Amino acid sequence: MPELPEVETIVRGLAPRVRGRRIDTVWWSGQGLHLGRKVDLAGLRAVAVGRAVAGVRRRGKYILLEVTGLGGEGVIIHLGMTGRLRVQPAATARAPHTHVVFALAGGDELRFVDARRFGWVTPGRPLARDPALAGLGPDPLSELDAPALARALAGARAPIKAFLLDQHRIAGLGNIYVAEALFLAGVHPATPAARLVGRTEALLRAVRTSLEGGIARRGTTLRDYVDADGFAGDNARALLVYGRAGEPCVRCGARIRRRLDGGRATFYCPRCQRR
Ligand SMILES: [Zn+2]
């Protein structure tokens, strides 16, 4: 699933291609997306048609297409597991699994392609009041600071891995970058979050280092993720623990372990990340 660095990479690639361009029509395949939900085509047309794209922003793992006008309206896109966004000429054949298309003035189309249909595309009327966005925690790169993180850790009962994955606490982290951050911080994933208050600064630094590395290498491609140009990211070969079970730790040489927590894989070094 795309996490903050992948979404940020897509936003950076997309913004110069769509900013300032008018949306002429919106098309939907008729197939349900996330949880089989229908796309609110009438709602998308109401916010988008006839307006220009004012900006493309990221909020956690969400992509926000802001449109011109005073209402703060726009389109909210979540890529789910396999969602992709591409800007292509209308004359280019649409890829299989194309589900939502915004036709742009000048002949290009912004296309949402999603093979597994876990993603979604919804109107934000306005964006700021969308319940999914309103419930998101601070952005770890631009909003979260050490005092706020320390307060949140102090009041938490969850293990640190679950704490960092909770989008209400911090927006944008997923399984890959949490594993990398906890390795960088030397913290075992099952450590109770509240016990890390004294190491808040190091933890925040590790989270940022893992995310910034991911952005610098234009995202982690394990299977499906590609950027707005259709290219895979380079971060997979820079991963320190994620997906490296049985391989030697880059720091100490111990074998990286993989365990399952609630059905999700956790990767860590048993020597560098002691309980
Ligand atoms: Zn190690």
Side-chain angles (χ1 to χ4, degrees), residues 183 249-254 256 269-273:
F183 174 76
C249 169
V250 293
R251 280 200 186 142
C252 75
I256 300 299
C269 171
R271 205 178 290 161
C272 296
Q273 297 168 268

Side-chain angles (χ1 to χ4, degrees), residues 140-174:
L141 292 181
S142 58
E143 294 169 342
L144 185 64
D145 59 24
L149 179 58
R151 280 193 300 277
L153 287 168
R157 263 174 291 182
I160 188 60
K161 181 184 172 187
F163 175 95
L164 293 173
L165 287 173
D166 182 349
Q167 300 298 300
H168 302 291
R169 292 203 178 273
I170 303 174
L173 291 171

